[in-house]
Amino acid sequence: MIQINEHYTEIGNNYLFAEVARRVNEYKGRNLDKKVISLGIGDVTQPIVPAVIEAIHKATDEMADAKTMRGYAPDAGYDFLIHAILKHDFLNRGIALDADEIFVSDGAKSDTGNIGDILGKDNHVAITDPAYPVYVDTNKMAGRKIDLLPCTPANDFVPAFPAQTPDVIYLCYPNNPTGTVLTKDQLKKWVDYALEHKALILFDAAYEAFISEPNIPHSIYEIAGAKKVAIEFRSFSKTAGFTGMRAGYTVVPKELTAQTSKGETLSLNALWKRRQSTKFNGTAYIVQRGAEAVFSPEGQRQIKEVIAYYMENAKIIKNGLDALGLTTYGGVNAPYIWVQTPNRMSSWEFFDLLLNDLQIVGTPGSGFGEAGEGFFRFTAFGNRENTIEAVERIKKIKN
Ligand code: PLP
């Protein structure tokens, strides 16, 4: 008899965006003449920048020549990319990491999901609520106990320490979906908490490139002691439009350790290396060359222009919603605007209203967790024209 992992029955069938897509497709099927604008799923719309495209073309040509073609990539990434990451993302911020603490991958979704492979099933996990659904779903798949840490206007979206001390804590800042951030002092409190309680922080910094204000940490390793307690996830998806190209990386410091049930201390870096070399065969050479070009001076200038374009969209959305008297959060250091639904509507009621009356798609806050009920997420990743049109349409809502 074939047995399934029964924890899969606990997560339900519908991934949030699948349900959004289902409702949108159903609407479109009934309203073929209507132009639906999506400010929903966090996917990019602007083309990949020329410096990256040039590097990809060059790498493709290398693949056409026996003298320069590459086969399997190193499991943890090519040195040329790892060195660019170390210099640009860390050394320039005063953080020294070793090359073998960086693990290049096909993106942060895989890594935030797969990291559970090296963690025991009995770990008690704390996850901010609302959150990127992968954290909760993958821990449920593994059968771990989860404590949710509500992040609401009442606590300024800064989670309180949980009643029961967790072993593993997921933090994502700048945050998806709320678009809010932690200051250095606020993040330091979590690092100190983890040091004191011997907990592991899984820090998702996928939106680091969107930070515009000073005193907001781009990396958790800006905080003293974090290398002893934190793994950090990064992504080229939103930073450089790689959602379809697939590249990210994870930092697992060698100082980071965890215990076996017998009390033996092991290195998480060694375990992750073992996991990746067994289950992952490297990110495509061509893509890694593209990622390397993100760090070139032209690449940096060009991606900053694209990020500024998205953040101008964020401003347009935020200002439009604020002018309507709605209460908004985020949109300053992150490409997401988190808005309180009008008239105490539920998140899905507001979704249906926007879709049916205004042909606008956003993401219901409740899809990111219970504490997201009564909220709604707009993304700044649309093109300018659609963003402006969507805001004009939203102005028709009667408050
Ligand atoms: N982490 C967060 C918080 C995200 O919002 C996303 C994508 O939306 C990811 C990770 C996944 O990124 P990637 O495209 O690198 O898999």
Side-chain angles (χ1 to χ4, degrees):
M1 191 175 72
I2 303 167
Q3 293 191 348
I4 62 154
N5 174 350
E6 291 200 16
H7 297 304
Y8 275 63
T9 62
E10 291 154 27
I11 55 172
N13 273 336
N14 267 323
Y15 185 63
L16 168 63
F17 294 107
E19 176 60 15
V20 168
R22 192 189 66 74
R23 291 194 193 203
V24 172
N25 288 336
E26 198 180 280
Y27 177 84
K28 282 184 177 165
R30 282 186 278 114
N31 299 276
L32 296 172
D33 56 325
K34 298 267 172 62
K35 179 185 169 191
V36 175
I37 298 179
S38 176
L39 301 179
I41 188 164
D43 200 357
V44 294
T45 54
Q46 298 307 294
I48 289 169
V49 299
V52 172
I53 294 294
E54 208 177 294
I56 294 168
H57 281 167
K58 192 163 161 269
T60 307
D61 288 340
E62 286 177 48
M63 290 300 211
D65 185 333
K67 290 197 280 300
T68 50
M69 73 82 62
R70 311 273 184 136
Y72 287 122
D75 301 323
Y78 283 103
D79 283 347
F80 60 76
L81 177 55
I82 291 174
H83 291 155
I85 289 168
L86 286 175
K87 176 170 179 294
H88 183 273
D89 282 351
F90 297 103
L91 260 188
N92 287 355
R93 294 193 183 280
I95 301 161
L97 288 166
D98 290 340
D100 57 1
E101 294 180 305
I102 307 285
F103 295 84
V104 174
S105 71
D106 64 351
K109 185 180 202 171
S110 321
D111 288 357
T112 50
N114 291 332
I115 197 72
D117 273 16
I118 63 166
L119 300 172
K121 186 182 154 303
D122 294 334
N123 279 307
H124 200 99
V125 176
I127 301 175
T128 51
D129 176 16
Y132 179 52
V134 170
Y135 316 148
V136 167
D137 286 355
T138 55
N139 277 290
K140 279 191 180 166
M141 285 171 179
R144 288 194 194 94
K145 283 207 186 68
I146 300 170
D147 246 352
L148 293 172
L149 311 177
C151 295
T152 64
N155 60 13
D156 233 352
F157 299 95
V158 179
F161 298 131
Q164 187 183 345
T165 305
D167 304 296
V168 180
I169 303 152
Y170 285 77
L171 295 178
C172 170
Y173 291 96
N175 188 259
N176 175 17
T178 65
T180 57
V181 285
L182 291 187
T183 62
K184 268 192 189 151
D185 286 346
Q186 287 167 332
L187 185 57
K188 182 178 182 312
K189 286 192 181 133
W190 275 99
V191 170
D192 290 346
Y193 175 89
L195 284 164
E196 186 190 336
H197 293 92
K198 299 197 183 334
L200 170 67
I201 296 177
L202 298 175
F203 190 72
D204 188 341
Y207 296 97
E208 157 283 325
F210 294 83
I211 294 172
S212 64
E213 294 182 321
N215 206 30
I216 308 296
H218 288 248
S219 164
I220 195 166
Y221 306 116
E222 289 176 44
I223 314 292
K227 280 193 206 169
K228 287 194 172 64
V229 291
I231 289 176
E232 180 164 301
F233 304 96
R234 295 280 191 108
S235 170
F236 290 90
S237 284
K238 311 301 161 62
T239 309
F242 273 48
T243 53
M245 295 250 289
R246 312 305 308 142
Y249 67 88
T250 289
V251 185
V252 190
K254 284 181 283 193
E255 290 174 41
L256 206 51
T257 56
Q259 271 63 51
T260 65
S261 54
K262 293 191 184 106
E264 192 188 355
T265 299
L266 294 182
S267 151
L268 286 182
N269 176 285
L271 289 186
W272 185 242
K273 188 175 181 168
R274 189 73 180 86
R275 190 266 170 212
Q276 289 297 80
S277 61
T278 301
K279 292 194 180 182
F280 182 64
N281 237 350
T283 304
Y285 171 70
I286 297 169
V287 173
Q288 292 197 52
R289 279 295 185 197
E292 180 193 23
V294 167
F295 298 113
S296 69
E298 316 81 68
Q300 281 294 294
R301 190 178 45 74
Q302 293 165 358
I303 64 156
K304 281 182 181 144
E305 272 172 27
V306 180
I307 288 170
Y309 173 94
Y310 289 135
M311 291 313 286
E312 180 62 27
N313 285 350
K315 201 170 173 185
I316 291 167
I317 298 168
K318 192 172 172 66
N319 288 347
L321 297 173
D322 286 346
L324 267 177
L326 295 173
T327 308
T328 60
Y329 304 93
V332 176
N333 294 295
Y336 297 117
I337 294 95
W338 189 240
V339 58
Q340 203 142 14
T341 59
N343 305 323
R344 308 178 75 86
M345 261 184 245
S346 76
S347 302
W348 279 108
E349 278 169 348
F350 192 51
F351 175 91
D352 288 335
L353 172 110
L354 287 178
L355 177 61
N356 293 315
D357 294 2
L358 305 174
Q359 294 77 50
I360 292 170
V361 179
T363 311
S366 56
F368 296 99
E370 231 170 82
E373 181 57 277
F375 289 88
F376 202 76
R377 190 194 76 173
F378 288 105
T379 88
F381 289 121
N383 66 37
R384 181 64 44 78
E385 194 191 332
N386 281 347
T387 302
I388 292 172
E389 190 180 336
V391 171
E392 286 308 311
R393 290 188 197 174
I394 293 171
K395 285 185 183 160
K396 293 182 196 143
I397 298 179
K398 285 185 204 69
N399 241 322

